[in-house]
Amino acid sequence: DADTFRRTAHTLKSNAATFGAQLLASHARELERGGLAVANPQMLRALDEMGPGSMTVEGRPFQLDLE
């Protein structure tokens, strides 16, 4: 539902900003503000294509190692 979508986008935005992943935070902000209306295939594809090599934290490549 729309409210759950907005809350999830808000959480993603906040966490991304906390860790300095500004591009991800920016995309999440757009989703939070526009809701389901901006969650078009192009926006969702852009988020899906964001991998570790495309994100930076404080200007450095972001790498998450869970091991």
CSV table of all heavy atoms in Angstrom, one decimal:
chain,number,residue,atom,x,y,z
A,1,ASP,N,0.8,-1.2,0.0
A,1,ASP,CA,0.0,0.0,0.0
A,1,ASP,C,0.9,1.3,0.0
A,1,ASP,O,2.1,1.2,0.3
A,1,ASP,CB,-1.0,0.0,1.2
A,1,ASP,CG,-0.3,0.2,2.5
A,1,ASP,OD1,0.1,1.3,2.8
A,1,ASP,OD2,-0.3,-0.8,3.3
A,2,ALA,N,0.3,2.4,-0.3
A,2,ALA,CA,1.1,3.6,-0.5
A,2,ALA,C,1.8,4.1,0.8
A,2,ALA,O,2.9,4.6,0.7
A,2,ALA,CB,0.1,4.7,-1.0
A,3,ASP,N,1.1,3.9,1.9
A,3,ASP,CA,1.8,4.4,3.2
A,3,ASP,C,3.0,3.5,3.5
A,3,ASP,O,4.0,4.1,3.9
A,3,ASP,CB,0.8,4.4,4.3
A,3,ASP,CG,1.3,5.1,5.6
A,3,ASP,OD1,1.8,6.2,5.4
A,3,ASP,OD2,1.3,4.5,6.6
A,4,THR,N,2.9,2.2,3.3
A,4,THR,CA,4.0,1.4,3.6
A,4,THR,C,5.2,1.7,2.6
A,4,THR,O,6.3,1.7,3.0
A,4,THR,CB,3.6,-0.1,3.4
A,4,THR,OG1,2.6,-0.4,4.4
A,4,THR,CG2,4.8,-1.1,3.7
A,5,PHE,N,4.8,1.9,1.4
A,5,PHE,CA,5.8,2.3,0.4
A,5,PHE,C,6.6,3.6,0.8
A,5,PHE,O,7.8,3.7,0.8
A,5,PHE,CB,5.2,2.5,-1.0
A,5,PHE,CG,6.1,2.9,-2.1
A,5,PHE,CD1,6.7,1.9,-2.8
A,5,PHE,CD2,6.4,4.2,-2.4
A,5,PHE,CE1,7.6,2.2,-3.8
A,5,PHE,CE2,7.3,4.5,-3.4
A,5,PHE,CZ,7.9,3.5,-4.1
A,6,ARG,N,5.8,4.6,1.2
A,6,ARG,CA,6.4,5.9,1.7
A,6,ARG,C,7.3,5.7,2.9
A,6,ARG,O,8.4,6.2,2.9
A,6,ARG,CB,5.3,6.9,2.0
A,6,ARG,CG,5.9,8.3,2.3
A,6,ARG,CD,4.9,9.2,3.0
A,6,ARG,NE,4.4,8.6,4.2
A,6,ARG,CZ,5.0,8.6,5.4
A,6,ARG,NH1,6.3,9.0,5.4
A,6,ARG,NH2,4.5,8.0,6.4
A,7,ARG,N,6.8,4.9,3.9
A,7,ARG,CA,7.6,4.7,5.1
A,7,ARG,C,8.9,3.9,4.8
A,7,ARG,O,10.0,4.2,5.3
A,7,ARG,CB,6.8,3.9,6.1
A,7,ARG,CG,5.8,4.8,6.8
A,7,ARG,CD,5.3,4.1,8.1
A,7,ARG,NE,5.0,2.7,8.0
A,7,ARG,CZ,3.8,2.2,7.7
A,7,ARG,NH1,2.8,2.9,7.5
A,7,ARG,NH2,3.7,0.9,7.6
A,8,THR,N,8.8,3.0,3.9
A,8,THR,CA,10.0,2.2,3.5
A,8,THR,C,11.0,3.1,2.7
A,8,THR,O,12.2,3.0,3.0
A,8,THR,CB,9.6,1.0,2.6
A,8,THR,OG1,8.7,0.2,3.3
A,8,THR,CG2,10.8,0.2,2.2
A,9,ALA,N,10.5,3.9,1.9
A,9,ALA,CA,11.4,4.9,1.2
A,9,ALA,C,12.1,5.8,2.1
A,9,ALA,O,13.3,6.2,2.0
A,9,ALA,CB,10.6,5.6,0.1
A,10,HIS,N,11.3,6.3,3.1
A,10,HIS,CA,11.8,7.2,4.2
A,10,HIS,C,13.0,6.5,4.9
A,10,HIS,O,14.0,7.1,5.2
A,10,HIS,CB,10.7,7.6,5.1
A,10,HIS,CG,11.2,8.4,6.3
A,10,HIS,ND1,11.5,9.8,6.2
A,10,HIS,CD2,11.5,8.1,7.5
A,10,HIS,CE1,11.9,10.2,7.3
A,10,HIS,NE2,11.9,9.2,8.2
A,11,THR,N,12.7,5.3,5.3
A,11,THR,CA,13.8,4.5,6.1
A,11,THR,C,15.0,4.3,5.2
A,11,THR,O,16.1,4.5,5.7
A,11,THR,CB,13.2,3.1,6.5
A,11,THR,OG1,12.1,3.4,7.4
A,11,THR,CG2,14.2,2.3,7.3
A,12,LEU,N,14.8,3.9,4.0
A,12,LEU,CA,16.0,3.8,3.1
A,12,LEU,C,16.7,5.1,2.9
A,12,LEU,O,18.0,5.1,3.0
A,12,LEU,CB,15.5,3.3,1.7
A,12,LEU,CG,16.6,3.1,0.7
A,12,LEU,CD1,17.6,2.0,1.1
A,12,LEU,CD2,16.0,2.6,-0.7
A,13,LYS,N,16.0,6.2,2.7
A,13,LYS,CA,16.6,7.5,2.6
A,13,LYS,C,17.5,7.8,3.8
A,13,LYS,O,18.6,8.3,3.7
A,13,LYS,CB,15.6,8.6,2.4
A,13,LYS,CG,16.1,10.0,2.3
A,13,LYS,CD,15.0,11.0,2.5
A,13,LYS,CE,14.5,11.0,3.9
A,13,LYS,NZ,13.6,12.0,4.3
A,14,SER,N,16.9,7.6,5.0
A,14,SER,CA,17.6,8.0,6.3
A,14,SER,C,18.8,7.2,6.5
A,14,SER,O,19.9,7.7,6.8
A,14,SER,CB,16.6,7.8,7.4
A,14,SER,OG,15.5,8.7,7.3
A,15,ASN,N,18.7,5.9,6.2
A,15,ASN,CA,19.9,5.0,6.4
A,15,ASN,C,21.0,5.3,5.4
A,15,ASN,O,22.1,5.3,5.8
A,15,ASN,CB,19.5,3.5,6.3
A,15,ASN,CG,18.7,3.1,7.6
A,15,ASN,OD1,19.2,3.3,8.7
A,15,ASN,ND2,17.6,2.4,7.4
A,16,ALA,N,20.6,5.5,4.2
A,16,ALA,CA,21.6,5.9,3.2
A,16,ALA,C,22.3,7.2,3.5
A,16,ALA,O,23.5,7.3,3.4
A,16,ALA,CB,20.9,6.0,1.8
A,17,ALA,N,21.6,8.2,4.0
A,17,ALA,CA,22.2,9.4,4.4
A,17,ALA,C,23.1,9.3,5.6
A,17,ALA,O,24.2,9.9,5.6
A,17,ALA,CB,21.1,10.5,4.6
A,18,THR,N,22.7,8.4,6.5
A,18,THR,CA,23.5,8.2,7.7
A,18,THR,C,24.9,7.6,7.3
A,18,THR,O,25.9,8.0,7.9
A,18,THR,CB,22.8,7.2,8.7
A,18,THR,OG1,21.6,7.8,9.1
A,18,THR,CG2,23.7,6.8,9.8
A,19,PHE,N,24.9,6.8,6.3
A,19,PHE,CA,26.1,6.1,5.9
A,19,PHE,C,26.8,6.9,4.8
A,19,PHE,O,27.8,6.5,4.3
A,19,PHE,CB,25.9,4.7,5.5
A,19,PHE,CG,25.6,3.8,6.7
A,19,PHE,CD1,24.3,3.5,7.0
A,19,PHE,CD2,26.6,3.5,7.6
A,19,PHE,CE1,24.0,2.7,8.1
A,19,PHE,CE2,26.3,2.7,8.7
A,19,PHE,CZ,25.0,2.3,9.0
A,20,GLY,N,26.3,8.0,4.4
A,20,GLY,CA,26.9,8.9,3.4
A,20,GLY,C,26.7,8.4,1.9
A,20,GLY,O,27.4,8.9,1.0
A,21,ALA,N,25.7,7.5,1.7
A,21,ALA,CA,25.4,7.1,0.3
A,21,ALA,C,24.4,8.1,-0.3
A,21,ALA,O,23.2,7.8,-0.3
A,21,ALA,CB,24.9,5.7,0.3
A,22,GLN,N,24.9,9.2,-0.7
A,22,GLN,CA,24.1,10.3,-1.1
A,22,GLN,C,23.2,10.0,-2.4
A,22,GLN,O,22.1,10.5,-2.4
A,22,GLN,CB,24.9,11.6,-1.3
A,22,GLN,CG,25.6,12.1,0.0
A,22,GLN,CD,24.6,12.2,1.1
A,22,GLN,OE1,23.5,12.8,1.0
A,22,GLN,NE2,25.0,11.7,2.3
A,23,LEU,N,23.8,9.3,-3.3
A,23,LEU,CA,23.0,9.0,-4.5
A,23,LEU,C,21.8,8.1,-4.2
A,23,LEU,O,20.7,8.4,-4.6
A,23,LEU,CB,23.9,8.3,-5.6
A,23,LEU,CG,23.2,7.9,-6.9
A,23,LEU,CD1,22.6,9.2,-7.6
A,23,LEU,CD2,24.1,7.2,-7.8
A,24,LEU,N,22.0,7.1,-3.4
A,24,LEU,CA,20.9,6.3,-2.9
A,24,LEU,C,19.9,7.1,-2.1
A,24,LEU,O,18.7,6.9,-2.3
A,24,LEU,CB,21.5,5.1,-2.1
A,24,LEU,CG,20.4,4.1,-1.6
A,24,LEU,CD1,19.6,3.5,-2.7
A,24,LEU,CD2,21.1,3.0,-0.8
A,25,ALA,N,20.4,7.9,-1.2
A,25,ALA,CA,19.5,8.8,-0.4
A,25,ALA,C,18.7,9.7,-1.3
A,25,ALA,O,17.5,9.9,-1.1
A,25,ALA,CB,20.3,9.6,0.6
A,26,SER,N,19.3,10.2,-2.4
A,26,SER,CA,18.6,11.1,-3.3
A,26,SER,C,17.5,10.3,-4.0
A,26,SER,O,16.3,10.8,-4.1
A,26,SER,CB,19.6,11.7,-4.3
A,26,SER,OG,18.9,12.4,-5.3
A,27,HIS,N,17.7,9.1,-4.5
A,27,HIS,CA,16.7,8.3,-5.2
A,27,HIS,C,15.6,8.0,-4.2
A,27,HIS,O,14.4,8.1,-4.5
A,27,HIS,CB,17.3,7.0,-5.7
A,27,HIS,CG,18.1,7.2,-7.0
A,27,HIS,ND1,17.7,8.0,-8.0
A,27,HIS,CD2,19.3,6.7,-7.3
A,27,HIS,CE1,18.6,8.0,-9.0
A,27,HIS,NE2,19.6,7.2,-8.6
A,28,ALA,N,16.0,7.6,-3.0
A,28,ALA,CA,14.9,7.3,-2.0
A,28,ALA,C,14.1,8.5,-1.6
A,28,ALA,O,12.9,8.4,-1.4
A,28,ALA,CB,15.6,6.7,-0.7
A,29,ARG,N,14.7,9.7,-1.6
A,29,ARG,CA,14.0,10.9,-1.3
A,29,ARG,C,12.9,11.1,-2.4
A,29,ARG,O,11.8,11.5,-2.1
A,29,ARG,CB,14.9,12.1,-1.2
A,29,ARG,CG,14.3,13.4,-0.8
A,29,ARG,CD,15.3,14.5,-0.7
A,29,ARG,NE,16.3,14.2,0.3
A,29,ARG,CZ,17.6,14.0,-0.1
A,29,ARG,NH1,18.0,14.0,-1.3
A,29,ARG,NH2,18.5,13.7,0.9
A,30,GLU,N,13.3,10.9,-3.6
A,30,GLU,CA,12.3,11.1,-4.7
A,30,GLU,C,11.2,10.1,-4.6
A,30,GLU,O,10.0,10.5,-4.8
A,30,GLU,CB,13.0,10.8,-6.1
A,30,GLU,CG,14.0,11.9,-6.5
A,30,GLU,CD,14.6,11.6,-7.9
A,30,GLU,OE1,13.8,11.2,-8.8
A,30,GLU,OE2,15.8,11.7,-8.0
A,31,LEU,N,11.5,8.9,-4.2
A,31,LEU,CA,10.4,7.9,-4.0
A,31,LEU,C,9.6,8.3,-2.8
A,31,LEU,O,8.3,8.1,-2.9
A,31,LEU,CB,11.0,6.5,-3.8
A,31,LEU,CG,11.7,5.9,-5.0
A,31,LEU,CD1,12.5,4.6,-4.6
A,31,LEU,CD2,10.7,5.6,-6.1
A,32,GLU,N,10.2,8.7,-1.8
A,32,GLU,CA,9.4,9.1,-0.6
A,32,GLU,C,8.4,10.3,-0.9
A,32,GLU,O,7.3,10.2,-0.6
A,32,GLU,CB,10.3,9.5,0.5
A,32,GLU,CG,9.6,10.0,1.8
A,32,GLU,CD,10.5,10.5,2.9
A,32,GLU,OE1,11.6,10.9,2.6
A,32,GLU,OE2,10.1,10.6,4.0
A,33,ARG,N,8.9,11.3,-1.6
A,33,ARG,CA,8.1,12.5,-1.9
A,33,ARG,C,7.0,12.2,-3.0
A,33,ARG,O,5.9,12.7,-2.9
A,33,ARG,CB,9.0,13.6,-2.4
A,33,ARG,CG,9.8,14.2,-1.4
A,33,ARG,CD,10.7,15.3,-1.9
A,33,ARG,NE,11.5,15.9,-0.8
A,33,ARG,CZ,12.5,16.7,-1.1
A,33,ARG,NH1,12.8,17.1,-2.3
A,33,ARG,NH2,13.2,17.2,-0.1
A,34,GLY,N,7.4,11.4,-4.0
A,34,GLY,CA,6.5,11.1,-5.0
A,34,GLY,C,5.6,9.9,-4.8
A,34,GLY,O,4.6,9.7,-5.6
A,35,GLY,N,6.0,9.0,-3.9
A,35,GLY,CA,5.2,7.8,-3.6
A,35,GLY,C,5.2,6.9,-4.8
A,35,GLY,O,6.1,6.9,-5.6
A,36,LEU,N,4.1,6.1,-4.9
A,36,LEU,CA,4.0,5.2,-6.0
A,36,LEU,C,4.0,5.8,-7.4
A,36,LEU,O,4.4,5.2,-8.3
A,36,LEU,CB,2.8,4.3,-5.8
A,36,LEU,CG,2.8,3.4,-4.5
A,36,LEU,CD1,1.4,2.8,-4.3
A,36,LEU,CD2,3.8,2.3,-4.7
A,37,ALA,N,3.6,7.1,-7.4
A,37,ALA,CA,3.5,7.7,-8.7
A,37,ALA,C,4.9,7.8,-9.4
A,37,ALA,O,5.0,7.8,-10.6
A,37,ALA,CB,3.0,9.1,-8.6
A,38,VAL,N,6.0,8.0,-8.7
A,38,VAL,CA,7.3,8.1,-9.3
A,38,VAL,C,8.0,6.7,-9.3
A,38,VAL,O,9.1,6.6,-9.9
A,38,VAL,CB,8.2,9.1,-8.6
A,38,VAL,CG1,7.6,10.5,-8.6
A,38,VAL,CG2,8.5,8.7,-7.1
A,39,ALA,N,7.4,5.7,-8.8
A,39,ALA,CA,8.0,4.4,-8.8
A,39,ALA,C,7.8,3.7,-10.1
A,39,ALA,O,7.2,2.6,-10.2
A,39,ALA,CB,7.5,3.5,-7.7
A,40,ASN,N,8.3,4.4,-11.2
A,40,ASN,CA,8.1,3.8,-12.5
A,40,ASN,C,9.2,2.9,-12.9
A,40,ASN,O,10.2,2.8,-12.1
A,40,ASN,CB,8.0,5.0,-13.5
A,40,ASN,CG,9.3,5.9,-13.5
A,40,ASN,OD1,10.4,5.4,-13.6
A,40,ASN,ND2,9.1,7.2,-13.4
A,41,PRO,N,9.1,2.1,-13.9
A,41,PRO,CA,10.1,1.1,-14.3
A,41,PRO,C,11.5,1.8,-14.4
A,41,PRO,O,12.5,1.1,-14.0
A,41,PRO,CB,9.6,0.6,-15.6
A,41,PRO,CG,8.2,0.7,-15.5
A,41,PRO,CD,7.9,2.0,-14.8
A,42,GLN,N,11.6,3.0,-14.9
A,42,GLN,CA,12.9,3.6,-15.1
A,42,GLN,C,13.6,3.9,-13.7
A,42,GLN,O,14.8,3.6,-13.5
A,42,GLN,CB,12.8,4.9,-15.9
A,42,GLN,CG,14.1,5.6,-16.1
A,42,GLN,CD,13.9,6.9,-16.9
A,42,GLN,OE1,12.8,7.3,-17.2
A,42,GLN,NE2,15.0,7.6,-17.2
A,43,MET,N,12.8,4.4,-12.8
A,43,MET,CA,13.4,4.7,-11.5
A,43,MET,C,13.8,3.4,-10.8
A,43,MET,O,14.8,3.3,-10.2
A,43,MET,CB,12.4,5.4,-10.6
A,43,MET,CG,12.7,5.5,-9.1
A,43,MET,SD,14.2,6.4,-8.7
A,43,MET,CE,13.6,8.1,-8.7
A,44,LEU,N,12.9,2.4,-10.8
A,44,LEU,CA,13.2,1.1,-10.2
A,44,LEU,C,14.4,0.4,-10.8
A,44,LEU,O,15.2,-0.2,-10.1
A,44,LEU,CB,12.0,0.2,-10.2
A,44,LEU,CG,10.8,0.8,-9.4
A,44,LEU,CD1,9.6,-0.1,-9.6
A,44,LEU,CD2,11.1,1.1,-8.0
A,45,ARG,N,14.5,0.5,-12.1
A,45,ARG,CA,15.7,0.0,-12.8
A,45,ARG,C,17.0,0.7,-12.4
A,45,ARG,O,18.0,0.0,-12.1
A,45,ARG,CB,15.5,0.1,-14.3
A,45,ARG,CG,16.5,-0.8,-15.1
A,45,ARG,CD,16.1,-0.8,-16.6
A,45,ARG,NE,14.7,-0.9,-16.8
A,45,ARG,CZ,14.0,0.1,-17.5
A,45,ARG,NH1,14.5,1.1,-18.0
A,45,ARG,NH2,12.7,0.0,-17.6
A,46,ALA,N,16.9,2.0,-12.2
A,46,ALA,CA,18.1,2.7,-11.8
A,46,ALA,C,18.5,2.3,-10.4
A,46,ALA,O,19.7,2.1,-10.1
A,46,ALA,CB,17.8,4.2,-11.8
A,47,LEU,N,17.6,2.1,-9.5
A,47,LEU,CA,17.9,1.6,-8.2
A,47,LEU,C,18.5,0.2,-8.2
A,47,LEU,O,19.4,-0.2,-7.5
A,47,LEU,CB,16.7,1.6,-7.3
A,47,LEU,CG,16.2,3.0,-6.8
A,47,LEU,CD1,14.9,2.9,-6.1
A,47,LEU,CD2,17.3,3.6,-5.9
A,48,ASP,N,17.9,-0.7,-9.1
A,48,ASP,CA,18.3,-2.1,-9.2
A,48,ASP,C,19.8,-2.1,-9.7
A,48,ASP,O,20.5,-3.0,-9.4
A,48,ASP,CB,17.4,-2.8,-10.1
A,48,ASP,CG,17.7,-4.3,-10.1
A,48,ASP,OD1,17.8,-4.9,-9.0
A,48,ASP,OD2,17.7,-4.9,-11.2
A,49,GLU,N,20.1,-1.2,-10.6
A,49,GLU,CA,21.4,-1.2,-11.2
A,49,GLU,C,22.5,-0.6,-10.3
A,49,GLU,O,23.7,-0.7,-10.6
A,49,GLU,CB,21.4,-0.4,-12.5
A,49,GLU,CG,20.6,-1.2,-13.6
A,49,GLU,CD,20.4,-0.3,-14.9
A,49,GLU,OE1,20.8,0.8,-14.9
A,49,GLU,OE2,19.8,-0.9,-15.8
A,50,MET,N,22.1,0.0,-9.2
A,50,MET,CA,23.1,0.5,-8.3
A,50,MET,C,23.8,-0.6,-7.5
A,50,MET,O,23.2,-1.2,-6.6
A,50,MET,CB,22.4,1.5,-7.3
A,50,MET,CG,22.0,2.8,-7.9
A,50,MET,SD,21.2,3.9,-6.7
A,50,MET,CE,22.7,4.3,-5.8
A,51,GLY,N,24.9,-0.9,-7.9
A,51,GLY,CA,25.7,-2.0,-7.2
A,51,GLY,C,26.8,-1.4,-6.4
A,51,GLY,O,27.0,-0.2,-6.4
A,52,PRO,N,27.6,-2.2,-5.7
A,52,PRO,CA,28.7,-1.7,-4.9
A,52,PRO,C,29.7,-0.8,-5.7
A,52,PRO,O,30.2,0.2,-5.2
A,52,PRO,CB,29.4,-2.9,-4.5
A,52,PRO,CG,28.4,-4.0,-4.5
A,52,PRO,CD,27.5,-3.6,-5.7
A,53,GLY,N,29.8,-1.0,-7.0
A,53,GLY,CA,30.8,-0.2,-7.8
A,53,GLY,C,30.2,1.1,-8.1
A,53,GLY,O,31.0,2.0,-8.5
A,54,SER,N,28.9,1.3,-8.0
A,54,SER,CA,28.3,2.6,-8.4
A,54,SER,C,28.0,3.5,-7.2
A,54,SER,O,27.7,4.7,-7.4
A,54,SER,CB,27.0,2.4,-9.2
A,54,SER,OG,26.1,1.8,-8.4
A,55,MET,N,28.2,3.0,-6.0
A,55,MET,CA,27.9,3.9,-4.9
A,55,MET,C,29.1,4.3,-4.2
A,55,MET,O,30.1,3.6,-4.1
A,55,MET,CB,27.0,3.1,-3.9
A,55,MET,CG,25.6,2.8,-4.4
A,55,MET,SD,24.4,2.4,-3.1
A,55,MET,CE,25.1,0.9,-2.5
A,56,THR,N,29.1,5.5,-3.6
A,56,THR,CA,30.2,6.0,-2.9
A,56,THR,C,29.7,6.5,-1.5
A,56,THR,O,28.6,6.9,-1.4
A,56,THR,CB,30.9,7.2,-3.6
A,56,THR,OG1,30.0,8.2,-3.8
A,56,THR,CG2,31.5,6.7,-5.0
A,57,VAL,N,30.6,6.4,-0.6
A,57,VAL,CA,30.4,7.0,0.8
A,57,VAL,C,31.5,7.9,1.0
A,57,VAL,O,32.7,7.5,1.0
A,57,VAL,CB,30.3,5.8,1.8
A,57,VAL,CG1,30.2,6.4,3.2
A,57,VAL,CG2,29.1,4.9,1.5
A,58,GLU,N,31.2,9.2,1.2
A,58,GLU,CA,32.2,10.2,1.5
A,58,GLU,C,33.2,10.2,0.4
A,58,GLU,O,34.4,10.3,0.7
A,58,GLU,CB,32.8,10.1,2.9
A,58,GLU,CG,31.7,10.3,3.9
A,58,GLU,CD,32.3,10.2,5.3
A,58,GLU,OE1,33.5,9.8,5.5
A,58,GLU,OE2,31.5,10.4,6.3
A,59,GLY,N,32.8,10.0,-0.9
A,59,GLY,CA,33.7,10.1,-2.0
A,59,GLY,C,34.5,8.8,-2.3
A,59,GLY,O,35.3,8.8,-3.2
A,60,ARG,N,34.3,7.8,-1.5
A,60,ARG,CA,35.1,6.5,-1.7
A,60,ARG,C,34.1,5.5,-2.1
A,60,ARG,O,32.9,5.5,-1.7
A,60,ARG,CB,35.8,6.1,-0.4
A,60,ARG,CG,36.9,7.1,0.0
A,60,ARG,CD,37.6,6.6,1.2
A,60,ARG,NE,36.8,6.3,2.4
A,60,ARG,CZ,36.5,7.1,3.4
A,60,ARG,NH1,37.0,8.3,3.4
A,60,ARG,NH2,35.7,6.8,4.4
A,61,PRO,N,34.5,4.5,-2.9
A,61,PRO,CA,33.7,3.4,-3.4
A,61,PRO,C,33.1,2.7,-2.1
A,61,PRO,O,33.8,2.4,-1.2
A,61,PRO,CB,34.6,2.5,-4.2
A,61,PRO,CG,35.7,3.4,-4.6
A,61,PRO,CD,35.9,4.4,-3.5
A,62,PHE,N,31.8,2.3,-2.2
A,62,PHE,CA,31.2,1.6,-1.1
A,62,PHE,C,31.3,0.1,-1.4
A,62,PHE,O,31.0,-0.4,-2.4
A,62,PHE,CB,29.7,2.0,-1.1
A,62,PHE,CG,28.9,1.2,-0.1
A,62,PHE,CD1,29.0,1.5,1.2
A,62,PHE,CD2,28.1,0.2,-0.5
A,62,PHE,CE1,28.2,0.8,2.2
A,62,PHE,CE2,27.3,-0.5,0.4
A,62,PHE,CZ,27.4,-0.2,1.8
A,63,GLN,N,31.8,-0.5,-0.3
A,63,GLN,CA,31.9,-2.0,-0.4
A,63,GLN,C,31.4,-2.6,0.9
A,63,GLN,O,31.8,-2.2,2.0
A,63,GLN,CB,33.3,-2.4,-0.6
A,63,GLN,CG,33.5,-3.9,-0.8
A,63,GLN,CD,32.9,-4.5,-2.1
A,63,GLN,OE1,32.9,-3.8,-3.1
A,63,GLN,NE2,32.3,-5.6,-2.0
A,64,LEU,N,30.4,-3.5,0.8
A,64,LEU,CA,29.8,-4.1,2.0
A,64,LEU,C,30.3,-5.5,2.1
A,64,LEU,O,30.0,-6.3,1.2
A,64,LEU,CB,28.3,-4.0,2.0
A,64,LEU,CG,27.6,-4.6,3.2
A,64,LEU,CD1,27.9,-3.9,4.4
A,64,LEU,CD2,26.1,-4.5,2.9
A,65,ASP,N,31.0,-5.9,3.1
A,65,ASP,CA,31.5,-7.2,3.3
A,65,ASP,C,30.8,-7.8,4.5
A,65,ASP,O,31.0,-7.4,5.6
A,65,ASP,CB,33.0,-7.2,3.5
A,65,ASP,CG,33.6,-8.6,3.5
A,65,ASP,OD1,32.9,-9.6,3.3
A,65,ASP,OD2,34.8,-8.7,3.8
A,66,LEU,N,29.9,-8.8,4.3
A,66,LEU,CA,29.2,-9.4,5.3
A,66,LEU,C,29.8,-10.6,5.9
A,66,LEU,O,29.3,-11.3,6.8
A,66,LEU,CB,27.8,-9.7,4.8
A,66,LEU,CG,26.9,-8.5,4.4
A,66,LEU,CD1,25.6,-9.0,3.8
A,66,LEU,CD2,26.7,-7.6,5.5
A,67,GLU,N,31.0,-11.0,5.5
A,67,GLU,CA,31.7,-12.2,6.0
A,67,GLU,C,32.6,-11.8,7.1
A,67,GLU,O,33.1,-10.8,7.3
A,67,GLU,CB,32.4,-12.8,4.9
A,67,GLU,CG,31.5,-13.4,3.9
A,67,GLU,CD,32.2,-14.2,2.8
A,67,GLU,OE1,33.2,-14.8,3.1
A,67,GLU,OE2,31.8,-14.1,1.7
